[in-house]
Amino acid sequence: MRAFATLLLWAAAIPALALAAPPQSCRTVRFSDVGWTDITATTALTARLLEALGYRTTTEILSIPVTYASLKNRQIDVYLGDWQPSMQEDRKPFLADGSVQVVRANLVGAKYTLAVPSYVAAAGVKNFADLNAHADRFHQKIYGIEPGNNGNRIIGSIIADNRFDLGRWTLVESSEQGMLSEVDRAIAKSEWIVFLGWSPHPMNLKYHMEYLAGGDDTFGPGYGGATIYTDVRTGYPAECPNVGRFLENLSFTPEIESQMMALILDEHLDGAAAATRFLSSHLALADTWVAGVVAFDGAPAAVAIRQNLRNSGLHKMADRLDAANDWIVGHKIPLGSWLNHVVDYAMHHAQRLFDTVSGVLGGVINALTAALMRVPALLLMLVLTVIAYLLHRSIGLAIFVSSSLLLIDNLGYWDATIQTLSLVVFSTIVCMILGVPIGIAAAHRPWVYRVLHPMLDLMQTIPTFVYLIPTLVLFGLGVVPGLISTVIFAIPAPIRLTHLGISSVPTHLLDVGASFGATRRQLLFKIELPHALPTIMAGITQCIMLSLSMVVIAALVGAGGLGKPVVRALNSVNIAMGFEAGLAIVILAIILDRVFKRSRDRARHR
């Protein structure tokens, strides 16, 4: 029976076999994925089908402007996420110069505009114009996604132009998952929130939500009604007609994309695994997409897809080593699931505690930032310059500090620098308050350091993005998850260097102190700490540098400061903004390093 079905598929594919064999230059198909789950889903589905046909695929995570620049430079072949009309300005110059070609609309009926939970809409917020009347309940915040995104730009223009009386509101930028995490927190507590919503997306199934009317002149008519297009680099369909025919056939529905996204978000499958599962149960749909298409070796596309999916499920083993490895992979230790359960348990049983901590820490940092920003910029520069001179009696340092701060102000990044300085200062203080006593205890009790040593190694080697995930879920968007992640990453430096400094105190100094009747506390404060001070100061400097290295990463969870324009510049390919914001970070790092380095040198000479 299977052979008969295969014969029918071969017969149906005879017209397609008239196509010439694809050239080797078309063997690899390069995709761009802008990081949205819907684009990840469609890109994974398309790539999986091409791989079943014998092609190789690569997918790069790129921002929208970088995607179009890469299409123009012929570094990317296909982009499946051209949302129109919201991306009109992004696409327009590349259509004008002929470097990008639109193949077809692959999805009709999408939405893209501001949304609120249903209970907020029931309370009377159904239109953009209704938002400002309830500004206090919304805390004058609109939650967007990654900095530089076109939706964020639309929201930013609404605020900048004071449309709908939203001029005093704030756009909170983070990422798709960061925004949805904040929506989860708000809905769990029945709080009011307005956020950037779109369809297709599982958020429409997960939340009871409503899209706001009145945004026709901003996001477009029909609740930001959108059509999604497939874009390629110009000439690609002619160069690779088999793939071009496939892309011309390729179209999705909101239901298809929602099912794929649910596999990725709810069942935590990667894109390839989700696509394999979806295609295995939707072979008829796959047949429509590959009509008139052949596999890379010339075989009928439908036959190649079925054979590939069948082989992927058989797990054939070439030898015993492959079988053993397959068994190991098939019996995965659920470390990630265990951690996820811990975080979920903490959310449901200690959320009030996390909210309190978030409120206190956020309030302190925001108060420090507000206090510094109330001081006129030139006056604060003068004060900082005078402090630097009085501490180090160096005219050169004072001139460097004043000129550097003036340059930052001239570039327009003074407020962002103050926000970054507040985060760095506060995180450094927390690291020293916690790190120095722990380092002293580790020096006095070697077993403590033996326990801490592998933990400190992990804290500094685990990718810093990993820290953002649980802190974002537990503490919500804002400066607090950025602060906590920064402290976790930076605190090993003061612990290690305090331990080193205290452990390096010569034994004869301690013996002399003890012989004169000094107590343990007197030995610590009169001998050990003064002798270890230069090393502890080195720990402070390292802590500051590590904290500054987290500035850009903290911007991904809604923290302000210089990291936000860097991320925005990256996502919008704005070379000028990226250079200027990066230069401001470097200047701030050099100032702080010079101040503390000289203090350390003076302490060493005493």
Side-chain angles (χ1 to χ4, degrees):
M1 188 67 182
R2 179 180 295 176
F4 180 70
T6 302
L7 182 62
L8 288 178
L9 289 171
W10 272 92
I14 288 176
L17 298 179
L19 289 173
Q24 283 296 325
S25 59
C26 297
R27 185 73 182 263
T28 299
V29 184
R30 300 166 298 177
F31 291 90
S32 172
D33 176 3
V34 296
W36 303 344
T37 310
D38 56 324
I39 308 304
T40 298
T42 55
T43 302
L45 200 56
T46 305
R48 183 66 184 85
L49 281 168
L50 286 172
E51 289 169 1
L53 297 179
Y55 288 85
R56 304 185 188 100
T57 65
T58 62
T59 301
E60 302 293 338
I61 305 297
L62 305 172
S63 67
I64 296 167
V66 174
T67 292
Y68 281 107
S70 299
L71 286 170
K72 179 177 181 178
N73 296 332
R74 303 178 68 83
Q75 296 169 320
I76 293 295
D77 301 315
V78 183
Y79 173 51
L80 298 169
D82 177 12
W83 281 68
Q84 294 295 332
S86 63
M87 292 184 187
Q88 185 173 358
E89 294 303 315
D90 294 290
R91 189 183 69 175
K92 185 176 180 180
F94 299 94
L95 291 181
D97 65 17
S99 59
V100 170
Q101 178 178 342
V102 179
V103 175
R104 64 161 295 167
N106 63 55
L107 179 69
V108 177
K111 297 178 181 178
Y112 191 56
T113 188
L114 296 184
V116 296
S118 295
Y119 56 83
V120 176
V125 180
K126 298 180 179 294
N127 194 291
F128 279 56
D130 299 327
L131 291 171
N132 196 52
H134 306 276
D136 292 340
R137 301 201 66 174
F138 287 112
H139 304 290
Q140 293 185 317
K141 292 180 179 179
I142 300 175
Y143 289 86
I145 45 180
E146 70 273 2
N149 173 269
N150 61 298
N152 287 13
R153 292 202 299 269
I154 294 173
I155 298 171
S157 67
I158 291 174
I159 294 173
D161 298 338
N162 194 28
R163 304 194 66 181
F164 311 105
D165 295 322
L166 299 177
R168 295 186 178 182
W169 285 51
T170 302
L171 168 63
V172 181
E173 299 180 294
S174 56
S175 63
E176 175 190 335
Q177 295 306 317
M179 180 194 74
L180 294 177
S181 175
E182 197 65 22
V183 174
D184 280 332
R185 290 168 57 84
I187 291 178
K189 295 183 287 187
S190 298
E191 294 180 346
W192 286 32
I193 186 171
V194 55
F195 57 95
L196 187 59
W198 62 91
S199 174
H201 194 280
M203 74 172 79
N204 298 274
L205 305 176
K206 183 177 181 180
Y207 308 129
H208 295 289
M209 54 183 281
E210 293 191 24
Y211 293 93
L212 297 181
D216 291 5
D217 295 335
T218 52
F219 285 93
Y223 299 101
T227 300
I228 306 176
Y229 292 86
T230 299
D231 295 345
V232 297
R233 58 179 176 83
T234 295
Y236 182 69
E239 295 173 22
C240 305
N242 192 52
V243 178
R245 177 65 180 272
F246 170 62
L247 295 176
E248 289 173 0
N249 293 343
L250 199 63
S251 65
F252 308 100
T253 64
E255 292 75 18
I256 292 173
E257 293 199 16
S258 293
Q259 289 181 46
M260 273 290 296
M261 285 186 278
L263 292 173
I264 295 172
L265 294 175
D266 299 338
E267 300 194 30
H268 307 291
L269 298 178
D270 62 28
T276 299
R277 181 182 296 185
F278 180 86
L279 289 171
S280 297
S281 57
H282 295 82
L283 288 173
L285 181 61
D287 290 342
T288 65
W289 288 336
V290 297
V293 178
V294 297
F296 193 81
D297 61 3
V303 175
I305 290 171
R306 282 164 171 76
Q307 184 65 34
N308 185 274
L309 293 174
R310 194 159 47 241
N311 288 342
S312 68
L314 290 177
H315 304 293
K316 293 181 178 178
M317 308 301 170
D319 51 37
R320 293 181 180 274
L321 288 178
D322 285 342
N325 183 70
D326 213 45
W327 184 88
I328 292 173
V329 174
H331 294 78
K332 175 182 176 182
I333 300 173
L335 294 177
S337 298
W338 292 343
L339 179 59
N340 192 52
H341 290 321
V342 171
V343 173
D344 287 342
Y345 183 86
M347 283 184 60
H348 289 95
H349 294 84
Q351 190 60 61
R352 184 171 298 179
L353 172 64
F354 292 117
D355 290 343
T356 301
V357 172
S358 180
V360 172
L361 291 178
V364 171
I365 298 175
N366 291 334
L368 175 61
T369 304
L372 291 175
M373 293 182 70
R374 283 176 185 162
V375 180
L378 293 178
L379 178 59
L380 184 56
M381 291 180 205
L382 178 62
V383 170
L384 294 175
T385 301
V386 170
I387 291 174
Y389 175 77
L390 292 177
L391 286 175
H392 309 288
R393 302 296 178 179
S394 171
I395 295 178
L397 177 63
I399 293 174
F400 173 76
V401 170
S402 60
S403 59
S404 298
L405 295 177
L406 282 170
L407 176 59
I408 291 175
D409 190 28
N410 174 262
L411 294 175
Y413 292 99
W414 180 255
D415 289 350
T417 300
I418 293 300
Q419 293 173 348
T420 296
L421 181 62
S422 298
L423 177 61
V424 170
V425 168
F426 195 82
S427 62
T428 302
I429 291 173
V430 172
C431 286
M432 298 310 295
I433 289 175
L434 298 177
V436 171
I438 294 174
I440 294 172
H444 288 163
R445 296 170 178 81
W447 68 268
V448 173
Y449 191 72
R450 286 196 297 271
V451 173
L452 287 175
H453 191 273
M455 298 173 60
L456 298 177
D457 289 342
L458 282 174
M459 292 166 70
Q460 287 193 302
T461 54
I462 289 178
T464 49
F465 287 97
V466 175
Y467 298 134
L468 298 180
I469 301 171
T471 54
L472 172 63
V473 172
L474 295 175
F475 297 98
L477 287 177
V479 70
V480 176
L483 168 68
I484 295 175
S485 300
T486 299
V487 169
I488 294 173
F489 179 67
I491 199 172
I495 292 176
R496 291 183 188 276
L497 287 170
T498 301
H499 169 267
L500 176 63
I502 298 297
S503 300
S504 301
V505 176
T507 305
H508 68 269
L509 291 181
L510 297 175
D511 291 340
V512 170
S515 66
F516 281 96
T519 64
R520 291 283 297 176
R521 178 174 296 182
Q522 290 172 329
L523 288 174
L524 175 63
F525 286 98
K526 299 293 185 179
I527 298 177
E528 292 179 317
L529 286 177
H531 187 277
L533 184 59
T535 308
I536 295 174
M537 292 299 296
I540 294 178
T541 303
Q542 285 198 19
C543 187
I544 291 173
M545 296 301 107
L546 291 170
S547 298
L548 274 170
S549 71
M550 289 289 289
V551 166
V552 175
I553 297 173
L556 299 176
V557 290
L562 293 168
K564 187 169 290 186
V566 171
V567 176
R568 186 178 293 116
L570 175 63
N571 287 334
S572 58
V573 202
N574 190 326
I575 298 175
M577 180 187 294
F579 176 78
E580 292 172 355
L583 180 62
I585 294 175
V586 172
I587 289 173
L588 182 59
I590 293 174
I591 291 174
L592 294 173
D593 178 69
R594 292 294 183 271
V595 169
F596 283 95
K597 182 178 181 180
R598 290 174 183 250
S599 295
R600 189 170 68 249
D601 292 342
R602 291 180 62 188
R604 184 179 292 113
H605 292 316
R606 287 178 181 173

Coordinates of all heavy atoms in Angstrom, one line a residue, residues 92 150 156 171 180 236 239 248 298 352 377 463 518 528 539 584 594:
K92 N 11.2 50.7 2.7 CA 11.0 51.6 1.6 C 12.3 51.9 0.8 O 12.4 51.8 -0.4 CB 10.4 52.9 2.1 CG 10.1 53.9 1.0 CD 9.4 55.1 1.6 CE 9.1 56.2 0.6 NZ 8.4 57.4 1.2
N150 N 10.2 48.7 15.2 CA 9.3 49.6 14.6 C 8.0 49.9 15.5 O 7.6 51.1 15.5 CB 8.8 49.1 13.2 CG 8.1 47.8 13.3 OD1 8.6 46.8 13.8 ND2 6.8 47.8 12.9
G156 N 6.9 55.6 20.6 CA 7.7 56.7 20.9 C 7.3 58.0 20.2 O 7.3 59.1 20.8
L171 N 7.7 54.8 27.6 CA 7.8 53.6 26.9 C 8.8 52.7 27.6 O 10.0 53.0 27.8 CB 8.2 53.8 25.5 CG 8.6 52.5 24.7 CD1 7.4 51.6 24.5 CD2 9.1 52.9 23.3
L180 N 5.9 40.1 27.8 CA 4.9 39.1 28.2 C 5.0 38.7 29.7 O 4.0 38.4 30.3 CB 5.0 37.9 27.3 CG 4.6 38.2 25.8 CD1 4.8 36.9 25.0 CD2 3.2 38.7 25.7
Y236 N 17.0 36.6 -6.5 CA 17.2 35.3 -5.9 C 16.2 34.3 -6.5 O 16.7 33.2 -6.8 CB 17.0 35.4 -4.4 CG 17.1 34.0 -3.7 CD1 18.4 33.4 -3.6 CD2 16.0 33.4 -3.1 CE1 18.6 32.2 -3.0 CE2 16.2 32.1 -2.5 CZ 17.5 31.6 -2.4 OH 17.6 30.3 -1.8
E239 N 17.8 33.2 -9.7 CA 19.0 32.4 -9.5 C 18.7 31.0 -9.1 O 19.3 30.0 -9.5 CB 19.9 33.1 -8.5 CG 20.4 34.4 -8.9 CD 21.2 35.1 -7.8 OE1 21.6 34.4 -6.9 OE2 21.3 36.3 -7.8
E248 N 6.9 31.1 -3.6 CA 5.7 31.6 -4.1 C 4.5 30.8 -3.7 O 3.4 31.3 -3.6 CB 5.8 31.5 -5.7 CG 6.8 32.5 -6.3 CD 7.0 32.3 -7.8 OE1 6.3 31.4 -8.3 OE2 7.7 33.1 -8.4
G298 N 16.4 16.1 -7.4 CA 15.5 15.9 -8.5 C 14.3 15.0 -8.2 O 13.4 14.8 -9.0
R352 N 4.7 38.3 47.1 CA 4.7 39.5 47.9 C 6.1 39.9 48.4 O 6.4 41.1 48.4 CB 3.7 39.3 49.1 CG 3.5 40.6 49.9 CD 2.4 40.4 50.9 NE 1.1 40.1 50.3 CZ 0.0 39.8 50.9 NH1 0.0 39.8 52.3 NH2 -1.1 39.5 50.3
A377 N 23.3 70.0 35.4 CA 24.4 69.2 34.8 C 25.7 69.9 35.1 O 26.7 69.2 35.5 CB 24.2 69.0 33.3
P463 N 26.8 32.4 31.3 CA 26.4 33.6 30.5 C 25.5 34.5 31.3 O 24.5 34.1 31.9 CB 25.7 32.9 29.3 CG 26.3 31.6 29.2 CD 26.5 31.1 30.6
A518 N 45.8 42.2 71.6 CA 44.7 42.7 70.7 C 43.7 41.6 70.6 O 44.0 40.4 70.5 CB 45.3 43.0 69.3
E528 N 44.7 43.6 59.8 CA 44.4 42.9 58.6 C 43.8 43.8 57.5 O 44.2 43.8 56.4 CB 43.4 41.8 58.9 CG 44.0 40.6 59.7 CD 43.0 39.5 60.1 OE1 41.9 39.8 60.4 OE2 43.4 38.4 59.9
G539 N 39.5 45.2 44.3 CA 38.2 44.5 44.1 C 37.1 45.5 43.8 O 36.2 45.2 43.0
A584 N 30.4 57.1 25.5 CA 30.0 57.6 26.9 C 30.3 56.5 27.9 O 30.7 56.8 29.0 CB 28.5 58.0 26.9
R594 N 40.2 55.5 36.9 CA 41.3 56.4 37.3 C 41.1 56.9 38.8 O 42.1 57.0 39.5 CB 41.3 57.7 36.4 CG 41.7 57.4 35.0 CD 43.2 56.9 34.9 NE 43.6 56.7 33.5 CZ 43.4 55.5 32.9 NH1 42.9 54.5 33.5 NH2 43.8 55.4 31.6

